[in-house]
Amino acid sequence: MSFKVAASDFDGTLYRDEEFSAADLSAISDWRAAGNKFGIVTGRCRTMIAPLLTKHGVETDFLICDNGAIIFDGAGRILFETELPKAILFELMAEPFVQRSLHFAFETAEAVSCANVKPESWVMRENQRWKFPIDIIEPAQIEQLGKINQFALLFETPDEALAATNTLNDKFGERIHAQKNTYSVDIVAAGIDKAQGVGNLLRIMNWSAAAVHVIGDESNDLPMIRRFGGCTVSTAKAFVKREATTIFNSVGNMLKNFS
């Protein structure tokens, strides 16, 4: 197989300081023009990032969203999807420490729905900046939603997020996988993470023989960095840099290096 596959994290890696750099966009265009594949692997749902990608002309061959819980091709068709059963979600919401979350975000292929949104939550502010559709619901209304791929929480401090992550995995780890990302805790089906997401993409698309290059900057990127000998950016946290094979100043620099 002659082409290569590059998968980039979104926040803090490709999308930095609330913008995409012209150099990165040019490198992505050159990478794809050479016959290679480029996509984004993110903890966010497609609904959140699609308006930004369209606005800035970011073209991709795939999107791995919700930490690997759902995968789309370049045309937005679902290639792979996992579901968090409603029953486990009601169990999670009943936990006292989960009730301290600044919002409950329920992410499906078509929408993001939020409940228990507190004033300190960023979700409504980000909704105004990014212009993605959002529904405000009561927790009981999740029964009316489609397949929920990810349940996302937000805490006031990283330590509180870490404690919640550990407690959730200790108590519910046979059924769910909680992943910390700074202040956030993203909950998906058991066995799902970004490494598994990239692996599922390669299997489904029959790209397993291609050279794979991944890049990320946060704790939820570590599974794919470890599995694929991945890279990070110079602005990443020290614990991510220690596990990356190479540190680049940008996604564009990584693409140029491996072209």
Side-chain angles (χ1 to χ4, degrees):
M1 186 170 291
S2 58
F3 67 84
K4 304 164 188 174
V5 177
S8 172
D9 172 51
F10 188 75
D11 292 284
T13 303
L14 181 62
Y15 188 67
R16 295 198 281 180
D17 299 321
E18 298 193 8
E19 66 178 11
F20 301 98
S21 78
D24 281 355
L25 296 184
S26 177
I28 292 169
S29 179
D30 291 345
W31 177 265
R32 297 180 72 241
N36 301 312
K37 308 298 182 183
F38 176 82
I40 291 169
V41 53
T42 177
R44 293 187 184 268
C45 61
R46 182 176 180 271
T47 301
M48 284 186 175
I49 67 172
L52 277 176
L53 300 180
T54 300
K55 178 181 177 180
H56 295 279
V58 183
E59 296 186 348
T60 62
D61 299 292
F62 60 87
L63 293 176
I64 301 171
C65 296
D66 293 329
N67 289 294
I70 186 166
I71 303 173
F72 302 88
D73 67 10
R77 293 181 291 257
I78 297 173
L79 300 174
F80 172 88
E81 185 176 17
T82 60
E83 180 180 10
L84 282 170
K86 306 296 194 305
I88 186 65
L89 289 170
F90 281 114
E91 287 185 57
L92 294 172
M93 287 189 287
E95 292 290 325
F97 64 91
V98 172
Q99 288 286 326
R100 294 200 296 270
S101 173
L102 302 180
H103 64 231
F104 294 168
F106 306 96
E107 299 168 7
T108 71
E110 300 84 18
V112 55
S113 301
C114 288
N116 287 19
V117 180
K118 298 179 174 63
E120 301 89 347
S121 167
W122 50 255
V123 70
M124 298 310 296
R125 296 192 301 274
E126 204 159 89
N127 168 254
Q128 291 299 313
R129 289 200 307 269
W130 292 19
K131 308 301 182 187
F132 60 83
I134 190 171
D135 296 317
I136 302 300
I137 64 171
E138 294 297 323
Q141 291 179 284
I142 65 170
E143 291 281 17
Q144 303 166 23
L145 302 179
K147 291 182 179 179
I148 296 173
N149 309 124
Q150 180 168 266
F151 176 38
L153 307 174
L154 177 69
F155 293 92
E156 292 185 352
T157 68
D159 287 345
E160 194 174 6
L162 178 60
T165 300
N166 292 337
T167 302
L168 284 166
N169 285 328
D170 287 345
K171 186 170 184 177
F172 300 96
E174 292 185 359
R175 291 181 287 168
I176 61 99
H177 181 205
Q179 302 171 80
K180 175 184 174 292
N181 187 351
T182 312
Y183 297 89
S184 298
V185 178
D186 296 331
I187 303 163
V188 292
I192 295 297
D193 59 23
K194 288 189 176 186
Q196 190 65 30
V198 175
N200 283 332
L201 171 78
L202 300 175
R203 174 182 54 80
I204 292 165
M205 299 302 291
N206 197 27
W207 292 349
S208 297
V212 179
H213 306 286
V214 303
I215 186 167
D217 76 315
E218 254 292 358
S219 53
N220 63 335
D221 297 310
L222 288 177
M224 70 174 183
I225 288 173
R226 291 166 179 156
R227 178 166 170 179
F228 295 99
C231 309
T232 191
V233 288
S234 54
T235 51
K237 294 180 174 64
F239 68 87
V240 179
K241 290 180 178 179
R242 285 195 294 269
E243 301 218 32
T245 57
T246 312
I247 301 170
F248 292 101
N249 288 331
S250 67
V251 173
N253 283 351
M254 183 193 78
L255 297 178
K256 289 179 181 178
N257 181 76
F258 293 118
S259 293

